Amino acid sequence: MPNPHGTDISKIRGRLLGERNLFSVSELFHENSRISRSAPRIAQSPQSALVAPSGFKRYIYAPRVALPDPSAAEADSIWDIMTSRRSGRSYSGQEIDLQCISELAFYALGTPDKGHRRCVPSGGGLYPLELYVMAARVEQLPAGLYHYDPRSHALCELGRADGLASVKKAVFIPDAVDNAAAVFILTAVFGRSKIKYGERAYRFSLLEAGHVMQNICLAATALRLGVCPVGGFVDDELNDLLDVDGVEEAVLYAALIGSLDKVDG
Ligand SMILES: Cc1cc2nc3c(=O)[nH]c(=O)nc-3n(C[C@H](O)[C@H](O)[C@H](O)COP(=O)(O)O)c2cc1C
């Protein structure tokens, strides 16, 4: 449409942006997850609550490692933590305490009152996210892959890990993985949220992963650990590592955690 100066703005925009991709998956997705007054796309019926799957994944037969009490944390001021958070990719290679893993997992997806509620908000309280920990340099924790069970605040050993080698291969910052102490991997079980929100559940899962990752980053900063959020990875290699199908449950985000070089004195 011509503007008051006689220029057809749509043509200029078209030229600046190049060929428009009519099949952009993100635009299609955004459209499909749109809520409008005429198409609310949210299942509000009482029946939907009855058929909603449990918000927890359980590895019933896996050996468990009980985690120490996360409330033993020494508090730093919110200002110090918020302003000193940085994405750190250089770690000392020293071990970190199991207490650190306990606190990071708890602030990520823990249940403060031992019920359903978590440390992070979740659309409809449906909690589609799961946390896996690839441990490499953690005191009292054998190297390997674990799943975090929020209800018992324990790690379930999945026993099919080759340490950090698979993670190193899958991410685009392999050098940073070498000296990491652990890698936290977040997945979404989309169906838990889809039952109420349909396609919009995908948006919610991404938003919620951001909440969890920020908690991990801030908690790691408070514990004086290095942390780097990682969104650059080959999806199927991380999905295969966790033995999830990448459709019903898929990896969304990861975090490298490591000890920072100790300051003398
Ligand atoms: C969604 C997301 C994905 C990211 N993925 C990576 C990654 O794959 N590799 C990496 O080195 N940093 C990654 N980062 C970290 C950013 O590079 C970093 O946050 C940015 O450079 C700002 O620096 P700061 O976090 O130290 O403030 C990611 C950050 C976000 C929010």
Side-chain angles (χ1 to χ4, degrees):
M1 183 201 252
N3 70 5
H5 306 290
T7 319
D8 187 339
I9 290 173
S10 65
K11 282 193 181 142
I12 292 174
R13 280 188 59 212
R15 277 205 301 278
L16 287 175
L17 296 173
E19 280 295 303
R20 191 176 159 78
N21 179 1
L22 292 176
F23 301 101
S24 158
V25 173
S26 57
E27 286 183 21
L28 278 177
F29 159 70
H30 206 77
E31 201 51 42
N32 274 288
S33 63
R34 190 185 292 278
I35 292 175
S36 67
R37 298 270 168 215
S38 56
R41 290 202 180 100
I42 295 179
Q44 296 284 21
S45 68
Q47 287 86 346
S48 68
L50 289 176
V51 294
S54 142
F56 296 92
K57 190 172 178 185
R58 293 205 77 192
Y59 289 88
I60 299 166
Y61 302 110
R64 295 180 158 247
V65 178
L67 290 168
D69 178 3
S71 66
E74 281 177 37
D76 266 354
S77 83
I78 290 181
W79 168 263
D80 291 338
I81 297 165
M82 294 277 181
T83 55
S84 56
R85 184 216 57 81
R86 283 288 169 280
S87 298
R89 301 167 188 80
S90 176
Y91 314 113
S92 70
Q94 287 166 320
E95 285 194 327
I96 65 172
D97 299 337
L98 188 59
Q99 179 72 31
C100 294
I101 297 292
S102 166
E103 289 178 38
L104 292 172
F106 182 79
Y107 295 129
L109 281 180
T111 54
D113 48 13
K114 304 268 182 231
H116 193 63
R117 198 175 66 80
R118 313 291 181 98
C119 289
V120 286
S122 173
L126 293 168
Y127 305 102
L129 304 184
E130 294 287 334
L131 173 65
Y132 298 80
V133 178
M134 178 65 87
R137 296 181 179 88
V138 183
E139 274 174 22
Q140 302 158 43
L141 189 65
L145 180 65
Y146 298 84
H147 172 257
Y148 176 57
D149 179 2
R151 282 183 297 190
S152 59
H153 189 56
L155 292 176
C156 296
E157 192 186 332
L158 302 187
R160 51 173 174 269
D162 58 355
L164 294 179
S166 304
V167 176
K168 181 172 174 169
K169 221 171 120 243
V171 302
F172 302 141
I173 46 168
D175 293 347
V177 178
D178 280 331
N179 284 329
V183 182
F184 278 33
I185 305 174
L186 279 176
T187 67
V189 179
F190 301 106
R192 274 186 211 150
S193 181
K194 261 188 175 169
I195 196 131
K196 181 170 183 187
Y197 296 111
E199 292 300 295
R200 204 174 181 83
Y202 188 75
R203 280 200 211 191
F204 283 6
S205 298
L206 302 181
L207 293 171
E208 292 177 30
H211 281 291
V212 171
M213 184 57 70
Q214 187 70 351
N215 277 15
I216 292 172
C217 288
L218 295 176
T221 305
L223 292 164
R224 296 183 176 78
L225 295 172
V227 58
C228 184
V230 177
F233 52 81
V234 181
D235 290 67
D236 282 342
E237 292 181 10
L238 285 191
N239 286 328
D240 288 350
L241 180 64
L242 306 186
D243 197 22
V244 299
D245 65 4
V247 179
E248 300 294 324
E249 180 177 0
V251 174
L252 295 182
Y253 215 176
L256 306 185
I257 315 280
S259 165
L260 294 170
D261 285 315
K262 283 215 167 77
V263 180
D264 290 336

